[in-house]
Amino acid sequence: MVYSVRVPTGVKDAPIAENGRQKPRRRLPGVTLRPGAVKQARQEAGLSLAQVGKGHVTAPAIYLIETGRTRPSLPTLEHIAHRTGKPVEFFLAEPGGTTDESQSKLLELESLYSLGDYDAAIKLGESMLELGSSAYRLGRIRFYLAMTYLQMGRPDRGAELLAEARSHFEQVNDPVMLVECMGAEAAVAQLKQRPDAPQVALEALEACRRLRPMPKTLESRLLFTVANTQLVSGKWQDAIKRYEEAIEAAGPVLDLRREAKVFHGLSWAYQELGQLDTAARYATRSVALLEILRDRVSLARSENNLGMVLMARGELGAAREHLDTAVRLADQTDLKVDLSPILASLCELCLQEGNVEQAQTFADQALEVAESQDEAIHVARAHMWRGRVADRRGDNETVDREFEVAISGLETLGVVDRLPDIHGMYAEILERRGELAKAYGHMKKALQESRPGLLSREPEEQEASTA
């Protein structure tokens, strides 16, 4: 049986239920417009009613909006603005009595974000996007909502909102918020593990420094973002330098949450440099601050970092306590991004404890999560851990396959700073197996990646010494 449903004039096709009846639509609140604004914009753009509504609403619906007989929803107004080339603000009536309410909600959204109450911030922000009275502040609503999604490790939704926010700030010519969006776009690139993330962050920092006057707090935040991207890229010394610059730029106004995250980054960098006591000190301070702030998402990452430092110091019991806490927090907050490194940490701990079966489980889970989140670097490292587990099992064929996948993955990504460690680990395994020539090849690659040009200079130096 074929069902026919009559759709009201000016409305897109509504969803159809299985019984053939039209499902009730939830009507979005209408936006109060400045009288004559839509007609003025249409005429200045040289468009007909049908051309303005094309792809969204009918010509009669545009006519009703022009004559003030109906108010458009916010999505419809944005469509009209896009078609006529005007900013949304061009069409809006003076907000009048709604200003205080929408401003209050925006301040509440910013507060929830800064306090780390991300679930509440998302709920409030998404509801505000539907309120016509909030249209004046649409850019900032989307920006803070995007930042909240990024903190929750959801870069796709964050990137979508950031693109809309950036378009808004371009229309209203707000250069400071445009730079804020550029910094957030660098954070998206980092979460997606794009190799251009450090460059995107540096471009945002350069744009900030061209502002007159330049907001020092914005410069500090962007230095922090640059440091984060360098940290993920394995540029430990550069990251430390940028973190220190961020602290100096912030001066006495560095808030506790950012301070905790700076400590987390410094701990990670110093751990990679082998300075474990310094790393432990920063990691402990980061965890202590985040516990006070009750930021469970950031705390999960810092607990993992502290667990790694303690493991490197041989304190396995204390390390397990912090790693178990990290997993529990990740589960409570539905954290997906950065969950793979936590599972990999538990894999390493189990190997050190001699529990190969449990290590295999964590390595497999780390790979599954990294693949589901499209985290290419973490995918490569998960393969490396599967290779380490296979070595404990004496499964040489799997060892070779997993290390080859890991090395190939990092080479494809251009993440050369991570390659020396993996080449070195594989060389040690091959040496134990007696495959000395192959082990030497990987050790040579480890040296080449860690100190480019070193081996190429050796023949020249030897020739000079015998001359």
Side-chain angles (χ1 to χ4, degrees), residues 247-266:
I247 294 172
E248 182 179 355
V253 297
L254 183 64
D255 64 273
L256 292 180
R257 178 165 283 99
R258 192 164 300 280
E259 185 176 8
K261 293 179 180 180
V262 168
F263 289 158
H264 167 77
L266 286 170

Side-chain angles (χ1 to χ4, degrees), residues 442-462:
H442 282 279
M443 187 57 69
K444 183 176 179 180
K445 288 180 180 179
L447 288 170
Q448 287 174 327
E449 297 291 352
S450 61
R451 299 179 64 183
L454 174 65
L455 297 182
S456 63
R457 291 196 301 268
E458 285 183 348
E460 298 175 6
E461 294 171 354
Q462 291 174 359

Side-chain angles (χ1 to χ4, degrees), residues 122-133:
I122 288 174
K123 182 178 180 180
L124 175 61
E126 291 288 2
S127 69
M128 290 175 71
L129 290 182
E130 298 181 355
L131 297 177
S133 61

Side-chain angles (χ1 to χ4, degrees), residues 113 118 121-122 142-163 180-192 225 261 295 297-298 301 335-338 373 375:
Y113 166 72
Y118 302 130
I122 288 174
R142 282 173 168 159
F143 174 77
Y144 283 105
L145 186 55
M147 295 300 292
T148 304
Y149 276 114
L150 295 185
Q151 287 296 322
M152 292 292 290
R154 296 170 64 181
D156 290 336
R157 177 60 173 152
E160 176 187 352
L161 288 163
L162 274 176
E180 292 273 19
C181 287
M182 292 175 67
E185 287 164 356
V188 171
Q190 176 192 331
L191 284 172
K192 289 179 170 291
T225 300
K261 293 179 180 180
D295 184 345
V297 172
S298 300
R301 298 177 175 120
L335 180 66
K336 295 293 188 295
V337 172
D338 286 343
Q373 298 301 305
E375 298 174 314

